[in-house]
Amino acid sequence: MSRMRIGLALVLILLAGLVPLGAQETRPAPSFDGAAALRHVERLVAIGPRPAGSPGAARARAYIVDELRKVGVSARVESFDAVTPHGRLPMANVVASLPGRRQDVILIAGHYDTKWFREFAFVGANDGGSSTALLIELARRLRERPHEYTYWVAWFDGEEARETWTSSDSLYGSRHMAEELGKSRRLPSAVIVADMIGDRDLGIRREAASTPWMTDVIWASAARLGYATHFMPDSLAVEDDHAPFMRLGVPAALLIDFDFPPWHTAEDTLDKVSARSLEIVGRVLLDALPGIEDGLTRSRGGRP
């Protein structure tokens, strides 16, 4: 471990003080099956490339719905057409609903598509595969425990640009959902997005545009669970599937390890993904959710 990472660990351990001492002592560490999540990544990679509008994407979508059904989680497929540089393409988001004691919604999301390349077969083990797998296991765990808020777990289609990232060629699925929910005035109370979180050398920076108090809660959970070296205090601005919701005023946080050398190359393969990294992110999210619920509830009478 480098001196820098040891120093970062000490800083983030101090952040654990943001959580009341009694909660640190009494709340048990949540369980999350990283090995099961990695098996999902393996099966998705076996499908091959999964760009939006392709047979591979349809197979990945069917896999998600089938795995949810096996653990008693129902999901809806929300189909739409998207205008892209490659013409109009059929796309679809998958959304699982896990009712809580109240109807207010916390949306936890990621993308399941992979980027389209002419030059090589891009299987996206980390970029597309890791978020898909994490959310399948997260939905299973959320079903098993009581929660105050209703959770929507969403797999977005079309996060990747078909050509070059622009405001119109990217984030197709999240832009579609945010627009539709905005029209119907059914926007979620908060959004958490995970992307590229399976890297064996896991190092997640604070996303600069994310809602600060939500990021604080997540980083405090990481420190409490002993994962401070993987949740780093410096920041990096990344536009991702949280952005369309933030533009509509919804508090949101992005978890992404953007320091991933095989990003958008043929080397983004299964051996670059770790069950341990998937487990760390899953456990941190499960630990942070009660704090996020509490922050949202308190914000009704003032800012958290």
Side-chain angles (χ1 to χ4, degrees):
M1 182 184 299
S2 68
R3 291 182 180 177
M4 179 177 292
R5 288 216 166 179
I6 292 171
L8 295 177
L10 293 174
V11 170
L12 284 169
I13 286 168
L14 293 175
L15 285 176
L18 296 172
V19 181
L21 183 59
Q24 293 180 48
E25 292 174 345
T26 61
R27 191 169 73 241
S31 63
F32 185 89
D33 194 340
L38 185 62
R39 287 193 292 272
H40 294 311
V41 178
E42 182 178 5
R43 293 163 189 160
L44 290 161
V45 167
I47 292 172
R50 306 172 300 281
S54 70
R59 289 179 62 193
R61 191 160 56 245
Y63 178 82
I64 295 165
V65 172
D66 188 52
E67 290 301 307
L68 294 172
R69 179 188 56 78
K70 289 177 183 177
V71 296
V73 176
S74 61
R76 62 187 185 270
V77 176
E78 299 181 345
S79 301
F80 62 98
D81 286 344
V83 178
T84 80
H86 297 167
R88 185 176 291 273
L89 293 176
M91 299 189 189
N93 296 328
V94 179
V95 185
S97 181
L98 299 153
R101 298 185 184 95
R102 58 196 295 174
Q103 294 183 346
D104 304 85
V105 169
I106 295 175
L107 172 64
I108 307 175
H111 73 96
Y112 72 93
D113 64 306
T114 56
K115 185 166 175 59
W116 179 80
F117 287 99
R118 296 182 182 86
E119 302 84 359
F120 57 89
F122 179 67
V123 298
N126 191 30
D127 193 4
S130 65
S131 53
T132 304
L134 176 89
L135 294 176
I136 292 172
E137 284 303 303
L138 202 64
R140 180 176 68 84
R141 291 291 293 117
L142 287 172
R143 181 185 178 276
E144 295 170 352
R145 72 182 202 179
H147 38 87
E148 187 71 17
Y149 280 68
T150 291
Y151 284 94
W152 288 354
V153 182
W155 292 258
F156 290 133
D157 201 356
E159 185 267 351
E160 300 284 5
R162 297 295 296 188
E163 291 289 347
T164 302
W165 188 283
T166 66
S167 60
S168 59
D169 185 18
S170 65
L171 308 180
Y172 292 96
S174 55
R175 285 193 288 119
H176 174 79
M177 178 182 280
E179 181 180 356
E180 293 300 307
L181 292 177
K183 288 178 183 176
S184 63
R185 298 187 178 181
R186 296 174 56 231
L187 285 167
S189 299
V191 174
I192 304 169
V193 169
D195 190 4
M196 293 171 59
I197 41 69
D199 184 3
R200 284 182 173 275
D201 184 20
L202 185 67
I204 299 174
R205 293 179 170 87
R206 296 171 65 101
E207 199 283 309
S210 294
T211 304
W213 74 262
M214 288 183 62
T215 305
D216 288 343
V217 170
I218 295 168
W219 260 244
S221 281
R224 189 183 81 84
L225 296 175
Y227 302 137
T229 55
H230 302 290
F231 284 73
M232 303 158 70
D234 54 323
S235 65
L236 178 70
V238 181
E239 185 177 29
D240 210 312
D241 282 315
H242 64 316
F245 296 92
M246 294 202 74
R247 285 193 280 268
L248 295 176
V250 180
L254 169 66
L255 300 184
I256 186 168
D257 177 358
F258 209 64
D259 183 14
F260 182 62
W263 178 61
H264 286 182
T265 74
E267 301 306 311
D268 184 0
T269 47
L270 186 63
D271 58 304
K272 309 303 188 306
V273 177
S274 158
R276 178 64 173 162
S277 295
L278 293 165
E279 178 181 311
I280 288 169
V281 177
R283 292 184 70 189
V284 168
L285 281 175
L286 289 169
D287 189 80
L289 287 174
I292 290 172
E293 289 191 6
D294 182 62
L296 291 171
T297 301
R298 289 187 290 112
S299 71
R300 292 177 179 274
R303 294 178 64 85

